Amino acid sequence: MINIIIQTIIENKEKIEKSLKRSIEEGEISLFSQDLRKVFDEAGRKTLVGILEMIDTTLFESSRRRLEYETKDLRKRTLLTEYGNIEYLRRYYKNKITKEYVYLADEKMGIEKNERMTKDVESKIIELSHDISYKKSGKQAVREEVISPTTIMKKVRKEELKVETKEENKEVKILYIEADEDHVSERGNKIGMPKLVYIHEGNQRIGKRNILKNIHYIGCLGKRSEELWIEVAEYIDKKYDVDKIERVYIGGDGAKWIKEGLNWIKNSKFVLDRFHLLKYVNQATVEYPEYRSKIWYNLNIYDPVSIENIFKEILEKTIDEKRREKVYISYKYIMNQWEGIEIYETEGENLKGCSAEGHISHVYADRMSSRPRTWSDDGIDKMSRLRTFKSNGGNIYKELLKRKKENTKLKKYDKIIERNIKKGICIKTGIKIPLIESGINSRTRDILKDILYA
């Protein structure tokens, strides 16, 4: 297929020369770079079509194929690639024994029945939609082509992306789990609240920054609390030697679904996120800020009786009913979360604070709630999973390839196809590549063979 690339460059020789001249005159290399890219995109499209049609022809001419499949038709297909849309012809076959109909060239090259784009393009649009809107993703994915927002949305919602946890049986004495939820606008003036749970081994210093050690995210919308915590427990069971864990701290705002984790995680205790404690203290003392320092003083010496007396004083002074209600809500919140506050007194040396709000912002809000847009339940759930998948270091392209079913039925044609492509390169161009032709068994040779003959 090297001849196609060379021929395309020859056909565009005049255009390339003009572009280079213009680039030199204007002192701007990017002008030439853009035009050169268009030429190579064209060469890429022609090469892909050539490869696919050569494979189809090879299968058609194979005597082995004639024993198994009879030719029924020759049909056109369009496929979106990194180089743009390509259109190629391939034959439709019928298996003589099973009566199954199949496009052998498509099957051999892993192009699925209803597939309209290659896996690299599919992974790219999902990758882009992780950070920007479906509309913008569709414009940026492939040069000179626009993919509809609906197509991208369907691709994102179709994929169940999850980083597989390897069995490690790692030994740690203390483990930290922190949890929170985002507030995402839904259609019909509803609010979706995707949950985020992350597990880590505490802080570690890297340069001037403190980061969480070996962090792993789990996120979703719509799962029952029990199901979510079972997933967390399963991750811990795979990753760690549970019998060696002396304490698991579950940090958060004290919501019922977060405290549900105490029922599923062995040796766990709840820790109240100080950010939410600050929020309720401030809410209670808006009208009488002089009480703020008194509340904090007694919180820091873990004195619930004094806290109760201070709130009684504030309530007695507060006349407005709505304001009284907010003060009372703050009081009930603090007293109901007392165990999560008091744990700082007994086990404070192990507690470094909860950063759930920051993680919600980084993992969810940047894409879902910080900009004015509306979502559906399914959209929130799938985007939550995509965001956590990427945050866990997941590779979308590799994940999509991993899910493809290997077609072992057509393995027997591999050598025939390889021989034919190799022969085509040598005869049509007169080009021989010594490294490939030689018997040297090197990694470079393997890579070149993969590129040319795969």
Side-chain angles (χ1 to χ4, degrees):
M1 292 299 109
I2 291 174
N3 61 313
I4 294 176
I5 299 169
I6 294 168
Q7 185 62 37
T8 305
I9 293 169
I10 292 169
E11 287 171 2
N12 288 275
K13 180 175 176 288
E14 191 176 333
K15 187 192 292 182
I16 292 170
E17 287 173 348
K18 282 182 180 178
S19 175
L20 181 56
K21 184 182 177 184
R22 178 181 163 224
S23 184
I24 292 167
E25 286 172 352
E26 298 192 22
E28 182 51 64
I29 189 63
S30 65
L31 298 172
F32 180 62
S33 175
Q34 288 176 354
D35 290 334
L36 195 61
R37 172 65 189 265
K38 289 176 185 176
V39 172
F40 279 104
D41 281 351
E42 184 186 341
R45 288 192 294 272
K46 288 180 177 179
T47 301
L48 286 171
V49 171
I51 287 284
L52 289 167
E53 292 187 349
M54 183 182 282
I55 288 169
D56 184 75
T57 302
T58 301
L59 291 166
F60 174 69
E61 293 173 351
S62 167
S63 56
R64 177 178 281 180
R65 188 275 308 162
R66 292 193 188 98
L67 296 173
E68 291 184 83
Y69 297 93
E70 59 179 285
T71 313
K72 302 301 292 181
D73 203 357
L74 182 66
R75 297 182 184 179
K76 191 181 289 184
R77 179 166 191 170
T78 302
L79 190 67
L80 182 61
T81 75
E82 278 273 17
Y83 301 102
N85 269 309
I86 63 168
E87 201 173 70
Y88 64 99
L89 293 167
R90 77 274 196 249
R91 291 169 178 82
Y92 197 38
Y93 295 96
K94 181 181 178 182
N95 189 295
K96 292 180 178 179
I97 299 170
T98 65
K99 309 303 179 187
E100 173 193 17
Y101 286 87
V102 64
Y103 295 98
L104 288 179
D106 286 355
E107 289 272 309
K108 182 71 204 77
M109 298 309 291
I111 302 169
E112 295 166 9
K113 187 176 180 182
N114 297 313
E115 197 169 19
R116 295 291 173 267
M117 61 183 69
T118 54
K119 284 288 181 280
D120 53 346
V121 174
E122 186 177 346
S123 67
K124 191 174 182 180
I125 61 174
I126 296 173
E127 188 98 35
L128 285 167
S129 69
H130 171 274
D131 296 312
I132 58 178
S133 70
Y134 297 144
K135 187 175 181 179
K136 288 180 181 176
S137 300
K139 290 178 178 178
Q140 293 183 22
V142 180
R143 287 166 57 90
E144 312 299 331
E145 303 289 345
V146 176
I147 306 167
S148 74
T150 304
T151 298
I152 297 175
M153 180 187 70
K154 286 178 179 177
K155 291 290 183 186
V156 171
R157 294 188 185 182
K158 184 187 84 169
E159 299 302 335
E160 291 289 342
L161 299 168
K162 186 178 177 181
V163 174
E164 290 298 319
T165 306
K166 295 178 182 177
E167 296 269 2
E168 284 192 49
N169 216 32
K170 195 174 182 181
E171 293 185 14
V172 296
K173 288 184 178 180
I174 299 173
L175 206 57
Y176 299 86
I177 302 174
E178 292 164 23
D180 203 351
E181 56 200 359
D182 198 7
H183 295 75
V184 181
S185 297
E186 288 196 63
R187 300 184 187 102
N189 293 321
K190 288 170 35 182
I191 297 293
M193 299 173 72
K195 298 177 174 69
L196 179 69
V197 178
Y198 55 97
I199 305 104
H200 63 93
E201 297 167 20
N203 294 331
Q204 64 177 345
R205 191 83 173 170
I206 295 184
K208 295 181 179 180
R209 294 175 60 226
N210 275 326
I211 67 166
L212 300 183
K213 189 178 178 183
N214 295 324
I215 190 167
H216 180 83
Y217 297 91
I218 295 171
C220 67
L221 174 74
K223 260 190 181 181
R224 289 167 56 238
S225 301
E226 294 90 340
E227 293 176 300
L228 180 61
W229 283 105
I230 287 171
E231 190 175 341
V232 174
E234 286 174 346
Y235 169 79
I236 293 172
D237 285 344
K238 273 189 174 182
K239 185 85 173 176
Y240 301 98
D241 183 342
V242 179
D243 294 331
K244 294 291 194 312
I245 300 174
E246 296 174 6
R247 174 70 70 227
V248 179
Y249 295 106
I250 300 178
D253 64 5
K256 189 177 177 182
W257 74 268
I258 295 175
K259 287 188 171 180
E260 176 66 29
L262 299 171
N263 299 323
W264 298 94
I265 308 300
K266 186 181 174 183
N267 296 329
S268 62
K269 280 193 176 184
F270 175 69
V271 181
L272 181 65
D273 176 5
R274 304 286 282 193
F275 174 84
H276 289 90
L277 183 59
L278 173 66
K279 174 184 167 184
Y280 281 96
V281 170
N282 289 344
Q283 178 177 287
T285 56
V286 167
E287 200 169 357
Y288 301 102
E290 63 270 22
Y291 284 100
R292 199 167 293 163
S293 60
K294 292 180 182 180
I295 292 174
W296 277 113
Y297 174 78
N298 288 286
L299 283 170
N300 289 329
I301 64 170
Y302 311 103
D303 184 354
V305 176
S306 295
I307 293 289
E308 189 171 2
N309 291 333
I310 292 168
F311 270 97
K312 281 180 181 178
E313 282 185 40
I314 298 173
L315 286 166
E316 283 172 8
K317 286 185 173 185
T318 306
I319 299 168
D320 182 78
E321 281 301 317
K322 287 185 178 178
R323 173 54 52 198
R324 280 177 62 84
E325 185 182 348
K326 288 190 174 181
V327 173
Y328 185 71
I329 288 170
S330 296
Y331 164 67
K332 290 296 289 182
Y333 177 83
I334 290 171
M335 299 315 292
N336 287 339
Q337 307 298 338
W338 193 255
E339 282 187 18
I341 296 169
E342 200 170 35
I343 194 171
Y344 284 93
E345 181 182 24
T346 54
E347 302 183 38
E349 70 277 4
N350 296 326
L351 305 175
K352 306 297 181 186
C354 175
S355 53
E357 282 288 323
H359 285 272
I360 280 288
S361 176
H362 173 67
V363 179
Y364 283 171
D366 281 355
R367 178 66 174 90
M368 292 191 285
S369 61
S370 63
R371 299 180 185 91
R373 58 169 64 94
T374 56
W375 297 76
S376 66
D377 277 354
D378 193 29
I380 294 171
D381 182 52
K382 290 305 189 322
M383 186 53 68
S384 301
R385 294 171 189 272
L386 173 59
R387 299 283 295 186
T388 54
F389 175 80
K390 286 288 292 174
S391 295
N392 287 330
N395 185 300
I396 296 168
Y397 179 61
K398 286 182 179 178
E399 188 69 15
L400 295 182
L401 289 186
K402 193 170 71 178
R403 294 170 187 208
K404 287 174 71 75
K405 292 180 181 177
E406 189 180 5
N407 195 330
T408 53
K409 292 184 293 183
L410 300 179
K411 279 282 181 189
K412 55 196 159 193
Y413 297 104
D414 284 5
K415 293 291 182 186
I416 301 169
I417 292 169
E418 183 179 320
R419 263 198 317 271
N420 199 56
I421 292 174
K422 184 176 176 181
K423 184 181 174 184
I425 290 170
C426 294
I427 291 175
K428 292 181 182 178
T429 67
I431 295 171
K432 289 193 177 185
I433 303 174
L435 193 61
I436 296 175
E437 296 299 315
S438 73
I440 299 168
N441 184 17
S442 69
R443 177 67 184 143
T444 310
R445 177 172 175 267
D446 291 340
I447 291 169
L448 286 169
K449 283 188 71 175
D450 285 344
I451 293 167
L452 293 171
Y453 308 144

